[in-house]
């Protein structure tokens, strides 16, 4: 068996691993990226559904403030694969519709005129919202121990504003409810999207399946001198006496001066006890493993359920919308976003975020609820024929940024020389998002070169009046 040597081996080709490998390869390091699946993207993936004979994925989006993901896509030549939207529509089951869109007013007033005209909220709702947003005017809390539920009570937000604004934004960005979410991260979302800059809240939606999107980044790695190996599940990790790491897959062996485990936290938990350090590092490795296992025990998953529907005709001319006061929360008209011919009908995805209840429900229960509720917003659904449908339950879609979690999110550099971590769950200052994952990968790559910020894109600068503060 031939052994291939690299400066760095990255394990896991999700956004974190791809970002780390791309950054290091572009900087001149010899990099090998190993992925056990036949496609890249990690949890942001797509695949050919055997029963539906369709390529399916769960909808992921990015925002204008996702500077590292945007830069990485630009480096890969994939910027054109994102469609950007400046208007977002809120629908009520009674047919009432409102939209928020940026105006020519400078930040932080770029959404002001839209908010004033929202028919889904009363004047008292909006007054309370303005009071709440003022708390995030200059930034977001440094302490993460207050829950959003506590914050909503403390700032006296109205029940309607919670249902029609705070909760929808929270579930879409943090994928969990107010009790399980830290105000620090919710505050970051509200500051970046609605206050800091007129472009931070722009909504970007991929126009191709997710694995196709991330394949463009995977292609960047060999173009920069690195290597990507799919279907390469790591079976063992051994540290040799000289400190070099050796990794084995079923059909190959690799050595590297450094390794980055760019995996979800539950996979990292399972892999850590299997790492065999050399005798000099054994004590440090045991302490590190115990410390990381203790920290990761504080992390919990939040699920995500996607309902995929194919109709024989166009059911609406909207590309996407927030759906209020129902189980389904977000609507994506994927056939329009991807610009399929109109005669192909409507390919739709509706989402239930933080969907713990749906994990125990049958496919038929989820589907019947979703289609019934979708008819409440789009009457054309009643006239259309449902050609096929699919349910994607992502039980481990994200981790929850629960109050008080920050001390338990590990840094990318570990106390074991040559071993680094990446993943949205590590210390990134971001919640569980594609941007957070990319940041973690870039931070890990920088840590290997003793400069954690080396590959980080600049934050989106304040604009308008905010640039004077």
């Amino acid at each position: 068996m031939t052994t291939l040597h690299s400066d760095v081996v990255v394990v896991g080709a999700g956004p974190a691993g791809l970002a780390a490998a791309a950054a290091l390869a572009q900087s001149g390091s010899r990099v090998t990226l190993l992925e056990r699946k036949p496609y890249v993207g990690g949890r942001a993936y797509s695949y050919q559904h055997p029963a539906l004979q369709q390529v399916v994925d769960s909808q992921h989006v990015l925002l204008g403030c996702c500077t590292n993901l945007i830069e990485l896509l630009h480096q890969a030549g994939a910027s054109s694969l994102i469609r950007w939207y400046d208007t977002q529509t809120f629908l009520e089951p009674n047919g009432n519709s409102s939209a928020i869109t940026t105006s020519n007013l400078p930040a932080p007033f770029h959404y002001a005129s839209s908010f004033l005209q929202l028919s889904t909220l009363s004047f008292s709702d909006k007054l309370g919202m303005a009071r709440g947003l003022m708390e995030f005017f200059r930034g977001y809390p440094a302490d993460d121990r207050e829950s959003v539920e506590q914050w909503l009570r403390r700032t006296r937000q109205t029940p309607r504003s919670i249902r029609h604004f705070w909760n929808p934004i929270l579930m879409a960005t943090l994928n969990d409810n107010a009790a399980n979410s830290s105000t620090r991260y919710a505050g970051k979302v509200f500051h970046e999207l609605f206050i800091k800059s007129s472009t931070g809240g722009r909504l970007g939606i991929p126009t191709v399946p997710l694995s196709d999107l991330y394949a463009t980044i995977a292609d960047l790695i060999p173009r920069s001198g690195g290597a990507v190996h799919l279907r390469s599940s790591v079976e063992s990790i051994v540290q040799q006496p000289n400190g070099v790491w050796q990794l084995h897959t079923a059909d190959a062996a690799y050595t590297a001066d450094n390794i980055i485990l760019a995996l979800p936290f539950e996979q990292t938990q399972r892999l850590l006890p299997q790492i065999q350090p050399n005798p000099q590092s054994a004590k440090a490795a045991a302490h590190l493993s115990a410390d990381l296992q203790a920290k990761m025990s504080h992390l919990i998953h939040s699920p995500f359920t996607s309902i995929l529907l194919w109709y024989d005709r166009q059911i609406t001319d909207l590309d996407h919308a927030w759906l209020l006061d129902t189980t389904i929360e977000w609507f994506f008209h994927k056939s329009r976003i991807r610009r399929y011919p109109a005669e192909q009908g409507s390919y739709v995805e509706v989402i239930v975020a933080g969907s713990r209840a749906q994990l125990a429900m049958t496919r038929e229960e989820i589907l019947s609820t979703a289609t019934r509720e979708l008819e409440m917003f789009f009457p054309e659904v009643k006239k259309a024929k449902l050609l096929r449908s699919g349910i994607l339950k992502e039980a481990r879609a994200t981790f929850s940024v629960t109050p008080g979690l920050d001390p338990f999110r590990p840094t990318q550099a570990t106390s074991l020389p040559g071993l680094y971590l990446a993943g949205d769950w590590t210390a990134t200052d971001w919640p569980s998002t594609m941007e957070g994952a990319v940041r973690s990968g870039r931070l890990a790559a920088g840590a290997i070169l003793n400069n954690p910020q080396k590959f980080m894109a600049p934050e989106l600068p304040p604009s308008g009046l905010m640039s004077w503060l």
Side-chain angles (χ1 to χ4, degrees):
M1 181 183 294
T2 302
T3 300
L4 306 175
H5 184 75
S6 302
D7 297 323
V8 185
V9 168
V10 181
V11 182
L18 289 167
L24 288 165
Q26 288 178 295
S27 73
S29 297
R30 293 172 298 169
V31 180
T32 299
L33 176 61
L34 304 178
E35 169 55 50
R36 65 183 178 89
K37 295 178 181 177
Y39 45 79
V40 300
R43 285 168 291 158
Y45 69 101
S46 52
Y47 68 99
Q48 179 78 21
H49 195 290
L52 296 171
Q53 295 300 304
Q54 297 282 336
V55 175
V56 299
D57 54 15
S58 291
Q59 188 65 61
H60 286 60
V61 302
L62 60 155
L63 298 161
C65 56
C66 297
T67 55
N68 285 275
L69 178 54
I70 291 170
E71 182 182 76
L72 183 56
L73 291 170
H74 176 72
Q75 291 171 350
S79 298
S80 63
L81 300 180
I82 304 297
R83 179 158 291 118
W84 290 98
Y85 296 88
D86 291 310
T87 299
Q88 299 196 43
T89 302
F90 294 78
L91 301 177
E92 292 181 274
N94 60 11
N96 193 17
S97 171
S98 295
I100 58 171
T101 187
T102 54
S103 68
N104 293 325
L105 292 173
F109 304 112
H110 48 291
Y111 283 120
S113 57
S114 289
F115 275 118
L116 289 172
Q117 297 176 53
L118 280 175
S119 60
T120 55
L121 297 164
S122 69
F123 178 76
S124 61
D125 298 329
K126 297 170 187 175
L127 191 63
M129 287 166 52
R131 183 177 62 248
L133 286 171
M134 283 297 293
E135 287 215 355
F136 309 124
F137 193 74
R138 293 185 179 274
Y140 50 93
D143 191 294
D144 77 324
R145 288 176 292 182
E146 182 184 46
S147 72
V148 177
E149 185 177 61
Q150 293 168 324
W151 179 86
L152 291 169
R153 287 198 301 266
R154 178 168 62 78
T155 59
R156 305 189 307 281
Q157 298 303 307
T158 65
R160 188 175 177 85
S161 72
I162 293 171
R163 293 197 333 267
H164 286 187
F165 179 73
W166 300 113
N167 274 349
I169 302 295
L170 182 72
M171 296 299 288
T173 55
L174 303 189
N175 193 42
D176 213 334
N177 59 46
N180 276 350
S181 300
S182 166
T183 300
R184 180 174 193 264
Y185 291 97
K188 183 178 186 67
V189 167
F190 294 123
H191 176 74
E192 294 284 346
L193 271 59
F194 299 109
I195 298 172
K196 181 181 177 182
S197 167
S198 59
T199 58
R202 297 188 75 204
L203 178 66
I205 307 178
T207 60
V208 296
L210 288 172
S211 289
D212 292 353
L213 177 71
Y214 282 107
T216 64
I217 301 172
D219 291 342
L220 174 63
I221 296 166
R223 292 204 309 268
S224 304
V228 178
H229 299 290
L230 303 179
R231 295 186 175 89
S232 296
S233 180
V234 174
E235 297 180 348
S236 67
I237 301 176
V238 179
Q239 188 183 34
Q240 298 175 340
N242 62 358
V244 172
W245 294 93
Q246 187 168 51
L247 300 89
H248 284 92
T249 64
D251 53 8
Y254 304 88
T255 59
D257 302 316
N258 303 281
I259 58 174
I260 299 175
L261 302 182
L263 302 167
F265 72 87
E266 69 277 4
Q267 291 183 29
T268 305
Q269 278 180 305
R270 290 195 296 268
L271 188 58
L272 279 173
Q274 301 175 33
I275 296 176
Q276 301 175 45
N278 61 27
Q280 302 96 299
S281 302
K283 187 174 181 179
H287 181 271
L288 172 65
S289 180
D291 178 61
L292 288 175
Q293 295 284 5
K295 286 181 175 179
M296 287 186 285
S297 69
H298 292 268
L299 291 159
I300 62 171
H301 293 102
S302 187
F304 189 90
T305 298
S306 299
I307 301 98
L308 308 176
L309 307 166
W310 285 262
Y311 290 100
D312 67 341
R313 67 190 69 189
Q314 293 289 306
I315 63 170
T316 177
D317 59 2
L318 287 173
D319 282 16
H320 58 90
W322 302 88
L323 307 180
L324 305 177
D325 296 327
T326 48
T327 305
I328 54 176
E329 298 158 327
W330 215 354
F331 164 83
F332 292 94
H333 204 161
K334 301 183 87 155
S335 53
R336 286 183 59 87
I337 294 166
R338 297 177 180 178
R339 299 298 188 257
Y340 293 172
E343 57 268 23
Q344 290 188 10
S346 284
Y347 169 28
V348 166
E349 179 174 348
V350 290
I351 288 169
V352 184
S355 54
R356 291 180 176 85
Q358 281 67 31
L359 292 179
M361 294 171 64
T362 65
R363 179 187 185 280
E364 290 70 25
E365 289 171 331
I366 295 171
L367 182 62
S368 63
T369 299
T371 53
R372 183 177 66 253
E373 291 182 348
L374 198 61
E375 291 176 358
M376 298 162 64
F377 298 97
F378 306 112
E380 285 297 314
V381 172
K382 297 178 181 178
K383 305 175 186 177
K385 180 181 179 182
L386 182 62
L387 301 175
R388 65 182 74 89
S389 61
I391 309 291
L392 303 181
K393 293 183 182 181
E394 300 285 349
R396 297 174 174 176
T398 65
F399 75 93
S400 298
V401 281
T402 50
L405 183 65
D406 275 358
F408 305 105
R409 296 178 69 177
T411 60
Q412 290 74 34
T414 75
S415 58
L416 192 59
L419 177 64
Y420 298 83
L421 304 174
D424 57 1
W425 54 277
T426 61
T428 66
D429 210 31
W430 271 67
S432 183
T433 60
M434 295 192 295
E435 171 70 8
V438 170
R439 286 178 178 240
S440 76
R442 288 182 155 190
L443 287 167
I448 286 176
L449 302 181
N450 295 313
N451 184 0
Q453 297 297 317
K454 178 178 176 61
F455 301 112
M456 299 299 288
E459 298 289 344
L460 190 68
S463 68
L465 299 179
M466 295 301 294
S467 62
W468 294 89
L469 297 179

